């Protein structure tokens, strides 16, 4: 208020009502006044209002675009709205004016739309109020119109019928049964259907990713175990008193080592004991570990001696094993190696997830594993049986470590070897069977060891059981062909059937026998890979026999194809060979050596040569490596050892392979048991056709003899391999395309050029999903198809994951390299002979394409 | 106790609808067994996954539509071994009865649900029968037929009285659930 200028302008005070103070607070100096408040009343004031216009609704135009408008940065020039009053005092209407920034600072001539009065209006920026209406309008987007489907599509249905078995054969659903003359989904007999046979072969050979899912879940769909023991316990044959003693020994001992000599029936005693324990409720499940060579034999014995128990054989691809382990069963049957494989990585995972759980296990060392199965580490078993337990004598071996991780209440070991003479092994074995019973220091104290294990150890020699045993004891060993053997066998069978078919009514028993012989030789030993499941089994058994100071005779019908191969493989037993081509003196020498030399444990003999007045009573084990037609011939061979002078029971074992011609012949002959008896009684070398008729022999390959006098109807116009000479390569491709269409595929030929090495693409939807084939046709009249074509096709299918399989078809043959390359790959080879068979089966005639 | 000759020829079908582990889809499954529960055939569908929009649009009808129209009826048509009776584990699956060639019943444990009448109209009252196991091995169950096919209850009762000596009619659904779970782990078409 010290401003003199302000005090001069008294007009200011006329316009205001100034109330300075209502109270004055005197202070020390009068120049300072404290005022409690100041009120200023401004008269004639005017309030300026800003009108915000409403945002107009967006316009919907006809050119609606479904494409989202691009959002661009729009530099919108600001616009302003000004409310001005008409200068006409009689009007004084408020006008809303939209002004652009360009007009700022300019004088505008305004005409009032109401009174038409014109006046000048000068615009300054300070007077303006920015109008955001336009800006807001620009930001509004037209919504998209989207079509939303409410339809939910019907899903694809998949699945499988398991109804190939009778309802009362509950356990057989876990094993394959012979399919006989059943018709497959392709409308032909299963045994003749090349697609089903090939699918079955590939199911065995394929990597794990191609397993049928519905086979994997089949065990899960089984009813629960429950109480299946309503029926009285029954046995397929009489148990000897010593076997009943053994069974009781096992039942009464949670920890036991049954060490009977080979041939006394350890497996059978164990199986019966398991049955009793299950019925008594003392155990709920059981794990049986055995060597691979006897796995199938165990399965067969379990089926025979414990039909009411659910047995799961753990083998096959990883996914199959996983489901099998996780499924409920009375008995889990597997090999040491499979257990090792499936247990180790499962433990590793468990270790990572739950370190505390490790305390449940008695060994924490790592084991290498290739493929693992979940949850096996958590599985609890009430009873574990270790067959050939001497295989786990080495505590450092991986299979030993794996098997000893199983913490079962009942632990039984089976062994035929004389363990009582091997204290180190005994101590190692009992370290698992009965921990703490023995110590490694006790190896030098045999008496102490024997005394300690007395309660847990039972061993009977054949001499002990002799009064109860028959003079001769027969047994069958059923084995599975190895993978390589199976491949060779199936191929030979297919080709053989095609050849027999080609012969038509000129086929004779001789032709059939030739094929049977070839197949039986493959069952013995695979000529390509030299693999043999029978040799594996024999080696296991001969080791035991050798260790218990017994000797064995091994008979075969094929001295050249079988015995010659066997001899070097059984070298460790100082094997001797006796066959017809030896001179008399040589034969005598061999017989004497076998009878007198302790180191010669095995004598290989051809059936015919061995059946001539020989005395080989030193041996009490006989193995028939393959089955002779006439059982009396086999009996004669066995009688070289089962005769006067023999002091021991003679154990005869015949080796068979499942799902082969041997099994078919066995089944056929079994049906003719009555005729057998007559033949045996005659003890003569009966003509084969007196045992099996020609029709029966043909039926082994699902063939039928054409009646004489009738012309055989050959639907394809008499197609042979030579017939292919009549057609060109293009016609050959059309022929193959037509064949696959008949097989249920949709086939499409590729253009002649730029076909990328594929002549035909074929597709169909099978039970397990879509199948897509890439087919290459090689119409070769001379020379085999080389490996380069197989490589080329393989390269094509590798680049196209949608292709299931590659097919290489030729009217001729494949080279050996080509066949070897295609093995175990997604390539299937069809040579001329096989092609003829397929064309005949599906009724495709080459004449249509000429 | 073993089944008699007549019971041996009986085939039962168990029809179920399962939700996937991620709760975003459904799988229909049908297991055909003999009178002792041994599987004869198994069929299932690939996963049906309704979209986020379809779910609210279908609302409460979603499960029954998928279960009956998309899965149940096609599954019944696809099985090779024709059953004597179809058993379902959810009441809405009774809808398959309209096209089913054989009786269909819904089965649940006796005493596990309280029935609330939603209408006084006699025609909506559902018939139900309690079946006890003659040997006591299996817990009693209640059978409920489709309301338009009351006669199914009589044939179902006769059948159940025989088979409940050795088969719990609820148990196969547990097996199927486990099988579907395994399928889901093995193949993404069932996830």
């Amino acid at each position: 208020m010290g401003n003199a200028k302000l005090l001069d302008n008294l007009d200011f005070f006329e316009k205001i009502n100034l109330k300075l103070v209502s109270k004055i607070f005197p202070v020390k100096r009068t120049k300072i006044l404290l005022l409690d408040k100041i009120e200023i009343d401004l008269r004639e004031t005017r309030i300026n209002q800003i009108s915000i216009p409403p945002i107009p609704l967006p316009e919907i135009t006809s050119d609606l675009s479904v494409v989202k408008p691009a959002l661009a940065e729009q530099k919108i020039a600001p616009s302003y709205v000004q409310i001005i009053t008409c200068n006409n005092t009689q009007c004084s209407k408020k006008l809303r004016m939209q002004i652009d920034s360009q007009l700022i600072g300019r004088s505008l001539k305004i005409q009032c739309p109401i009174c038409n009065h014109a006046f000048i209006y000068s615009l300054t920026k300070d007077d303006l109020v920015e109008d955001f209406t336009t800006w807001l309008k620009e930001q509004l987007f037209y919504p998209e119109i989207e079509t939303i489907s409410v339809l939910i599509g019907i899903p694809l249905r998949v699945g499988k019928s398991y109804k190939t078995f009778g309802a009362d054969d509950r356990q057989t659903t876990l094993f394959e049964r012979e399919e006989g003359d059943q018709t497959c989904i392709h409308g032909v007999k299963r045994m003749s259907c090349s697609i089903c046979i090939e699918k079955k072969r590939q199911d065995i050979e394929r990597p794990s990713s191609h397993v049928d899912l519905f086979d994997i879940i089949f065990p899960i769909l089984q009813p629960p175990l429950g109480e299946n023991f309503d029926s009285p316990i029954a046995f397929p044959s009489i148990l000897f008193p010593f076997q009943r003693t053994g069974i009781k020994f096992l039942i009464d001992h949670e920890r036991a080592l049954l060490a009977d000599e080979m041939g006394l029936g350890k497996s059978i005693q164990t199986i019966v004991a398991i049955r009793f324990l299950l019925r008594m409720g003392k155990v709920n499940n059981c794990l049986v570990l055995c060597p691979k060579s006897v796995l199938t034999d165990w399965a067969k014995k379990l089926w025979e001696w414990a039909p009411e128990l659910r047995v799961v054989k753990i083998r096959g691809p990883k996914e199959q094993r996983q489901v099998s382990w996780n499924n409920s069963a009375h008995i889990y049957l597997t090999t040491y190696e499979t257990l090792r494989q499936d247990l180790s990585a499962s433990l590793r995972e468990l270790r990572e997830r739950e370190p505390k759980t490790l305390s449940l296990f008695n060994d924490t060392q790592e084991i290498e594993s290739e493929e693992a199965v979940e949850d096996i580490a958590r599985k609890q078993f009430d009873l574990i049986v270790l067959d050939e337990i001497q295989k786990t004598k080495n505590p450092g071996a991986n299979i030993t470590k794996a098997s000893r991780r199983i913490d079962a209440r009942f632990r039984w070991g089976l062994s035929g070897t004389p363990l009582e003479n091997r204290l180190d092994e005994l101590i190692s074995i009992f370290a698992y069977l009965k921990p703490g019973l023995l110590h490694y220091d006790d190896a030098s104290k045999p008496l102490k060891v024997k005394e300690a294990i007395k309660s847990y150890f039972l061993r009977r020699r054949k001499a002990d059981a002799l009064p109860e045993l028959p003079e001769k004891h027969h047994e069958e060993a059923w084995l599975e062909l190895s993978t390589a053997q199976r491949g060779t066998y199936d191929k030979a069978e297919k080709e053989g059937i095609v050849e027999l078919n080609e012969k038509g009514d000129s086929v004779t028993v001789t032709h059939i026998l030739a094929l049977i012989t070839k197949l039986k030789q493959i069952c013995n030993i695979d000529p390509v890979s030299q693999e043999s499941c029978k040799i594996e089994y024999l080696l296991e058994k001969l080791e035991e026999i050798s260790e218990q100071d017994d000797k064995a005779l091994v008979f075969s019908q094929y001295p050249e194809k079988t015995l010659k191969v066997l001899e070097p493989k059984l070298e460790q037993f100082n094997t001797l060979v006796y066959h017809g081509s030896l001179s008399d003196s040589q034969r005598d020498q061999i017989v004497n050596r076998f009878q007198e030399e302790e180191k010669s444990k095995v004598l290989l003999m051809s059936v015919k040569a061995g059946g001539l007045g020989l005395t080989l009573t030193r041996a009490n084990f006989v193995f028939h490596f393959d089955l002779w037609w006439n059982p009396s011939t086999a009996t004669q061979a066995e009688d070289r050892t089962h005769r006067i002078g023999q002091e021991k029971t003679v154990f005869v074992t015949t080796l068979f392979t499942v799902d082969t011609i041997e099994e078919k012949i066995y089944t056929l002959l079994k049906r003719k048991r009555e005729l057998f008896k007559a033949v045996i009684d005659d003890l003569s070398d009966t003509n084969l056709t007196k045992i099996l008729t020609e029709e029966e022999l043909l039926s082994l390959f699902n063939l039928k003899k054409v009646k004489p006098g009738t012309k055989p109807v050959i639907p394809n116009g008499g197609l042979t391999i030579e017939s292919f000479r009549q057609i060109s390569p293009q016609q050959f491709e059309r022929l193959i395309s037509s064949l696959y269409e008949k097989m249920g595929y949709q086939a499409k030929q590729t253009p002649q050029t730029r076909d990328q090495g594929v002549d035909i693409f074929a597709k169909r939807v099978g039970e397990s999903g879509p199948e897509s084939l890439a087919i290459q046709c090689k119409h070769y009249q001379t020379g085999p198809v080389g490996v380069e074509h197989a490589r080329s096709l393989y390269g094509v299918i590798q680049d196209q994951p949608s292709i299931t399989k590659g097919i290489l078809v030729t009217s001729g043959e494949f080279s050996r390299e080509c066949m070897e390359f295609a093995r175990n790959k997604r390539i299937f080879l069809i040579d001329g002979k096989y092609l003829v068979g397929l064309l005949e089966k599906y009724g495709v005639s080459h004449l249509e394409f000429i | 106790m073993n089944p008699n000759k007549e019971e041996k020829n009986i085939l039962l079908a168990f029809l179920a609808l399962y939700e996937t582990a991620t709760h975003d889809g459904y799988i229909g499954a049908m297991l055909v067994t003999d009178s002792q529960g041994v599987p004869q055939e198994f069929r299932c569908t690939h996963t049906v996954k309704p979209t986020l929009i379809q779910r609210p649009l279908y609302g409460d009808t979603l499960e029954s539509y998928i279960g009956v129209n998309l899965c149940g009826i096609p599954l019944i048509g696809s099985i090779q071994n024709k059953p004597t009776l179809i058993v379902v584990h959810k009441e809405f699956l009774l809808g398959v009865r309209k096209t089913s060639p054989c009786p269909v019943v819904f089965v649940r444990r006796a005493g596990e649900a309280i029935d609330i009448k939603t209408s006084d109209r006699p025609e909506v009252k559902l018939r139900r029968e309690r079946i006890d196991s003659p040997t006591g091995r299996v817990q009693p169950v209640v059978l409920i037929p489709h309301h338009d096919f009351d006669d199914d209850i009589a044939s179902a009762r006769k059948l159940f009285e025989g088979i409940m000596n050795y088969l719990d009619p609820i148990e196969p659904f547990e097996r199927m659930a486990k099988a579907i779970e395994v399928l889901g782990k093995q193949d993404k078409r069932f996830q």
Side-chain angles (χ1 to χ4, degrees):
Chain A
M1 287 299 194
N3 193 330
K5 218 175 186 178
L6 184 62
L7 288 173
D8 288 341
N9 188 1
L10 296 175
D11 293 336
F12 171 74
F13 288 100
E14 287 175 7
K15 291 179 182 175
I16 62 172
N17 185 9
L18 184 66
K19 184 176 178 183
L20 291 176
V21 64
S22 59
K23 288 180 185 175
I24 296 175
F25 298 91
V27 292
K28 288 180 182 177
R29 289 185 281 175
T30 55
K31 286 182 183 178
I32 300 170
L33 298 174
L34 286 178
L35 310 175
D36 60 350
K37 61 181 170 184
I38 299 175
E39 289 181 2
I40 300 174
D41 179 14
L42 300 173
R43 291 177 185 161
E44 295 179 10
T45 55
R46 195 174 58 186
I47 297 170
N48 283 329
Q49 290 181 336
I50 300 171
S51 168
I52 300 173
I55 300 169
L57 291 172
E59 291 174 14
I60 299 174
T61 63
S62 61
D63 54 350
L64 180 67
S65 171
V66 296
V67 175
K68 273 188 183 174
L71 283 176
E73 233 180 73
Q74 290 186 354
K75 289 194 178 169
I76 302 169
S79 63
Y80 303 91
V81 168
Q82 183 66 10
I83 308 294
I84 56 175
T85 310
C86 179
N87 269 357
N88 187 354
T89 52
Q90 292 177 352
C91 178
S92 296
K93 287 291 177 189
K94 294 200 188 309
L95 305 173
R96 183 173 178 277
M97 195 168 67
Q98 189 142 1
I99 300 168
D100 291 332
S101 55
Q102 296 163 358
L103 299 175
I104 297 173
R106 291 167 66 177
S107 296
L108 304 174
K109 186 176 179 185
I110 309 289
Q111 184 169 11
C112 176
I114 311 296
C115 62
N116 287 326
H117 172 73
F119 58 95
I120 301 294
Y121 183 77
S122 292
L123 208 54
T124 59
K125 194 167 181 184
D126 294 337
D127 297 333
L128 299 176
V129 176
E130 191 161 349
D131 176 21
F132 290 96
T133 309
T134 308
W135 177 83
L136 279 170
K137 190 176 169 182
E138 297 284 341
Q139 303 305 308
L140 290 171
F141 292 105
Y142 295 114
E144 288 180 23
I145 297 173
E146 206 170 322
T147 305
I148 298 169
S149 171
V150 297
L151 293 176
I152 308 175
I154 297 178
L156 191 66
R157 276 109 40 224
V158 291
K160 189 167 181 170
S161 174
Y162 303 112
K163 199 181 181 186
T164 51
F165 316 112
D168 51 348
D169 285 336
R170 210 179 309 177
Q171 193 162 347
T172 56
T173 57
L174 298 175
F175 299 99
E176 273 192 327
R177 281 175 58 159
E178 56 181 48
E179 293 158 349
D181 288 339
Q182 288 179 4
T183 305
C184 67
I185 61 167
H186 308 112
V188 296
K189 287 181 181 165
R190 198 179 289 274
M191 287 181 63
S192 310
C193 178
S194 56
I195 297 172
C196 288
I197 291 168
E198 176 57 25
K199 186 171 183 297
K200 201 171 165 184
R201 182 186 76 83
Q202 288 179 353
D203 283 346
I204 297 166
E205 286 183 0
R206 262 182 187 158
S208 58
S209 59
H210 291 90
V211 172
D212 186 348
L213 289 176
F214 293 95
D215 285 336
I216 291 177
I217 64 170
F218 180 67
I220 298 175
L221 295 172
Q222 294 292 322
L225 290 174
E227 293 172 8
N228 293 328
F229 311 129
D230 291 336
S231 54
I233 192 165
F235 307 112
S237 58
I238 297 170
L239 288 165
F240 298 112
F242 76 90
Q243 288 177 328
R244 290 199 287 269
T245 308
I247 293 164
K248 190 170 186 318
F249 165 75
L250 289 171
I251 291 172
D252 291 343
H253 291 82
E254 289 187 358
R255 309 297 168 94
L257 177 58
L258 183 61
D260 289 346
E261 274 191 344
M262 187 183 140
L264 295 187
K266 291 188 289 295
S267 316
I268 290 167
Q269 292 172 67
T270 306
I271 292 168
V272 174
I274 292 173
R275 279 178 89 185
F276 275 113
L277 285 181
L278 280 162
R279 281 169 180 257
M280 286 153 58
K282 289 189 175 180
V283 298
N284 292 315
N285 62 9
C286 166
L287 172 66
V288 175
L289 297 177
C290 64
K292 184 181 151 198
S293 57
V294 296
L295 185 71
T296 306
D297 202 47
W298 260 100
K300 215 147 175 106
K301 281 188 178 132
L302 278 163
W303 169 237
E304 214 177 303
W305 285 85
E308 79 279 15
L309 301 184
R310 186 180 299 169
V311 178
V312 170
K313 196 161 75 170
I314 313 287
R315 61 170 304 160
K318 174 189 158 193
E319 289 86 357
Q320 187 80 54
R321 299 199 314 267
Q322 183 171 348
V323 175
S324 298
W325 279 120
N326 291 328
N327 194 30
S328 58
H330 293 116
I331 299 178
Y332 297 82
L333 175 65
T334 189
T335 64
Y336 288 103
E337 190 53 39
T338 302
L339 178 71
R340 179 204 68 78
Q341 197 172 320
D342 289 348
L343 188 57
S344 58
S346 167
L347 276 173
R348 196 180 299 128
E349 279 181 31
L350 194 63
R351 195 168 287 133
E352 285 163 13
R353 284 202 312 266
E354 299 171 34
K356 288 181 185 175
T357 314
L358 281 179
S359 59
L360 293 175
F361 300 97
N362 50 8
D363 191 348
T364 58
Q365 275 190 304
E366 289 276 351
I367 296 177
E368 293 299 319
S369 167
E370 294 163 10
E371 294 177 332
V373 168
E374 294 175 9
D375 298 335
I376 173 62
R378 291 180 173 278
K379 197 127 184 100
Q380 295 295 322
F381 295 100
D382 296 327
L383 162 63
I384 180 170
V385 176
L386 294 103
D387 190 20
E388 306 293 343
I389 194 173
Q390 71 276 6
K391 292 193 177 299
T392 64
K393 64 190 177 204
N394 178 5
N398 285 337
I399 57 167
T400 307
K401 288 179 192 174
S403 59
R404 292 185 183 187
R405 284 178 193 272
I406 305 298
D407 185 24
R409 188 162 49 96
F410 280 80
R411 300 181 190 182
W412 296 342
L414 310 179
S415 174
T417 55
L419 289 169
E420 68 271 23
N421 300 327
R422 301 172 189 186
L423 294 185
D424 287 344
E425 289 178 23
L426 257 183
I427 292 169
S428 174
I429 287 167
F430 271 96
Y432 173 67
L433 286 184
K434 186 77 178 168
L437 182 71
L438 300 171
H439 300 280
Y440 284 99
D441 298 338
D442 297 333
S444 57
K445 303 166 192 170
L447 287 174
K448 184 185 174 190
V449 167
K450 284 182 183 172
E451 188 58 36
I453 66 172
K454 198 175 168 185
S455 308
Y456 309 99
F457 181 82
L458 180 64
R459 176 171 171 82
R460 279 81 55 89
R461 293 189 177 80
K462 282 186 286 298
D464 302 327
L466 196 59
E468 301 167 20
L469 284 174
E471 290 180 354
K472 199 155 71 165
H473 176 76
H474 284 270
E475 201 178 63
E476 294 162 2
W478 287 91
L479 311 167
E480 263 189 53
L481 292 181
S482 67
T483 311
Q485 264 185 302
R486 173 57 63 183
T488 310
Y489 178 91
D490 287 345
K491 187 167 184 294
E493 189 185 35
K494 265 185 288 196
E495 286 173 357
I497 291 172
V498 169
E499 279 179 19
L500 289 176
N501 257 328
E502 278 179 359
K503 287 177 170 45
D505 62 347
S506 63
V507 69
T508 63
V509 168
T510 311
H511 297 128
I512 302 169
L513 285 181
L515 177 58
I516 290 174
T517 300
K518 184 178 177 184
L519 294 177
K520 283 175 70 178
Q521 287 171 355
I522 296 172
C523 290
N524 283 355
I525 299 166
D526 178 17
V528 176
S529 65
Q530 298 297 299
E531 281 183 19
S532 170
C533 58
K534 290 188 182 181
I535 292 180
E536 272 184 45
Y537 174 86
L538 199 59
L539 280 168
E540 295 268 354
K541 295 299 171 187
L542 290 176
E543 272 179 29
E544 267 189 66
I545 292 168
S546 166
E547 287 185 0
Q548 60 195 39
D549 294 328
D550 284 327
K551 292 194 179 188
L553 305 179
V554 179
F555 288 101
S556 172
Q557 307 166 51
Y558 312 113
E560 289 298 315
K561 297 274 184 185
T562 300
L563 296 182
K564 259 195 176 170
V565 178
L566 264 180
E567 188 188 356
K569 293 193 187 284
L570 304 181
E571 202 181 355
Q572 66 195 92
F573 306 108
N574 295 302
T575 304
L576 300 167
V577 186
Y578 188 105
H579 50 82
S581 59
L582 295 173
S583 65
D584 289 346
S585 61
Q586 283 173 323
R587 293 185 198 192
D588 289 341
Q589 196 184 17
I590 284 173
V591 169
N592 289 334
R593 281 179 65 190
F594 181 76
Q595 287 283 92
E596 289 162 18
E597 285 181 7
E598 276 313 305
K599 64 176 183 177
S600 301
K601 298 291 186 184
V602 178
L603 178 60
L604 303 178
M605 304 188 77
S606 62
V607 179
K608 282 292 188 181
L612 301 172
L614 292 176
T615 298
L616 296 163
T617 49
R618 183 61 185 85
N620 61 323
F621 283 91
V622 175
F623 291 93
H624 289 294
F625 207 76
D626 37 69
L627 183 61
W628 188 246
W629 282 113
N630 186 350
S632 68
T633 308
T635 307
Q636 278 182 355
E638 290 156 21
D639 287 346
R640 297 312 99 219
T641 179
H642 177 246
R643 62 194 312 169
I644 294 171
Q646 177 58 262
E647 294 166 2
K648 302 177 184 178
T649 298
V650 173
F651 293 91
V652 181
T653 307
T654 310
L655 307 188
F656 295 100
T657 46
V658 294
D659 197 21
T660 63
I661 191 71
E662 288 187 336
E663 188 172 12
K664 291 177 197 172
I665 295 173
Y666 173 87
T667 310
L668 197 54
L669 293 177
K670 210 174 174 182
R671 280 189 224 143
K672 300 175 80 71
R673 198 167 286 139
E674 290 305 310
L675 184 58
F676 267 2
K677 284 181 185 169
V679 169
I680 289 170
D681 288 342
D682 288 341
L683 283 180
S684 60
D685 192 5
T686 310
N687 193 332
L688 179 68
T689 54
K690 287 191 180 175
I691 303 176
L692 294 176
T693 64
E694 197 176 338
E695 281 73 26
E696 284 169 333
L697 285 169
L698 281 169
S699 73
L700 291 172
F701 301 103
N702 231 25
L703 298 171
K704 282 184 183 164
K705 180 119 179 112
V706 177
K707 287 181 185 169
T710 58
K711 256 192 174 177
V713 177
I714 304 170
N716 64 350
L719 178 67
T720 61
I721 293 177
E722 283 65 39
S723 307
F724 291 131
R725 292 179 191 278
Q726 303 172 34
I727 60 176
S728 67
Q730 289 76 26
Q731 288 167 338
F732 184 71
E733 278 184 30
R734 287 205 295 277
L735 175 70
I736 303 303
S737 178
S738 176
L739 171 64
Y740 272 86
E741 281 186 354
K742 283 283 170 74
M743 286 159 75
Y745 291 85
Q746 289 176 344
K748 186 179 172 185
Q749 283 177 267
T750 57
Q752 289 296 318
T753 55
R754 291 191 217 160
D755 61 2
Q756 297 179 334
V758 178
D759 297 317
I760 302 167
F761 283 106
K763 280 185 195 177
R764 75 171 178 188
V765 178
E767 279 188 359
S768 53
E771 199 183 342
S772 179
L773 309 177
I775 304 170
Q776 200 177 90
C777 303
K778 294 293 169 195
H779 185 32
Y780 279 23
Q781 296 300 306
T782 55
V785 174
V787 68
E788 63 277 10
H789 301 291
R791 285 189 205 280
S792 162
L793 182 61
Y794 187 62
V796 170
I797 64 176
Q798 286 290 84
D799 286 340
Q800 297 188 46
S802 60
I803 294 179
T804 319
K805 192 167 52 178
I807 311 282
L808 191 54
V809 186
T810 181
S811 51
E813 292 176 340
F814 294 102
S815 68
R816 191 192 169 102
E817 293 78 18
C818 186
M819 287 192 286
E820 280 189 19
F821 177 82
R823 196 175 294 150
N824 296 327
K825 292 186 180 64
R826 287 185 295 138
I827 295 180
F828 182 59
L829 303 181
I830 300 178
D831 61 13
K833 282 184 187 173
Y834 189 32
L835 180 59
V836 165
L838 283 175
L839 291 169
E840 195 171 296
K841 282 190 185 76
Y842 289 98
V844 178
S845 172
H846 71 296
L847 297 172
E848 302 169 17
F849 300 93
I850 294 175
Chain B
M1 189 183 294
N2 292 318
N4 56 40
K5 196 175 175 183
E6 203 178 289
E7 286 166 354
K8 278 186 179 181
N9 294 327
I10 289 168
L11 287 181
L12 298 169
F14 298 88
L15 174 64
L17 184 73
Y18 297 105
E19 207 175 348
T20 56
T22 47
H23 303 289
D24 62 349
Y26 298 89
I27 296 175
M30 181 166 245
L31 174 67
V32 180
T33 75
D34 63 9
S35 58
Q36 292 184 291
V38 177
Q40 305 297 302
E41 190 174 347
F42 180 72
R43 302 275 168 193
C44 65
T45 68
H46 287 163
T47 308
V48 178
K49 289 194 183 182
T51 64
L52 289 172
I53 302 294
Q54 288 167 335
R55 277 184 180 273
L57 285 175
Y58 277 87
D60 291 338
T61 64
L62 181 69
E63 271 198 1
S64 61
Y65 176 71
I66 293 175
V68 174
N69 298 76
L70 299 189
C71 296
I73 294 173
L75 278 172
I76 292 171
S78 70
I79 49 173
Q80 295 174 8
N81 301 288
K82 298 304 173 191
T84 318
L85 174 73
I86 297 175
V87 182
V88 300
H89 75 146
K90 292 196 177 162
E91 198 165 342
F92 62 78
L93 289 173
L94 284 170
V96 301
R97 182 60 181 99
K98 290 186 179 169
T99 55
S100 163
C102 63
V104 180
V105 288
F106 161 52
V107 66
R108 59 170 171 83
R109 291 264 181 248
E112 72 179 13
I114 298 172
D115 296 318
I116 298 173
K117 252 188 180 177
T118 54
S119 167
D120 290 329
R121 290 185 299 164
E123 58 266 28
V124 301
K125 182 182 174 184
L126 293 175
R127 273 194 66 186
R128 58 205 65 226
E129 294 265 350
R130 175 183 166 121
I131 310 289
D132 291 291
S133 165
T135 55
R137 281 186 189 177
V138 178
Q139 292 179 36
V141 296
V142 169
L143 304 182
I144 301 170
H146 189 281
H147 55 79
D148 292 335
F149 295 86
D150 279 352
D151 294 339
D152 287 353
I153 201 106
S155 46
R157 174 163 39 88
K158 188 182 168 192
L159 204 143
F160 268 69
E161 278 168 356
I163 64 170
M164 274 181 71
N165 286 319
Y166 22 78
L167 173 65
D168 178 356
I170 308 277
E171 181 275 327
F173 293 109
E174 293 163 9
R175 291 185 237 163
M176 287 161 69
K178 197 169 175 191
I180 295 290
E181 190 189 323
V182 170
L183 284 174
K185 286 179 185 171
Q186 301 288 342
D187 189 331
K188 56 185 175 186
R189 292 175 295 182
F190 300 103
Q191 289 169 359

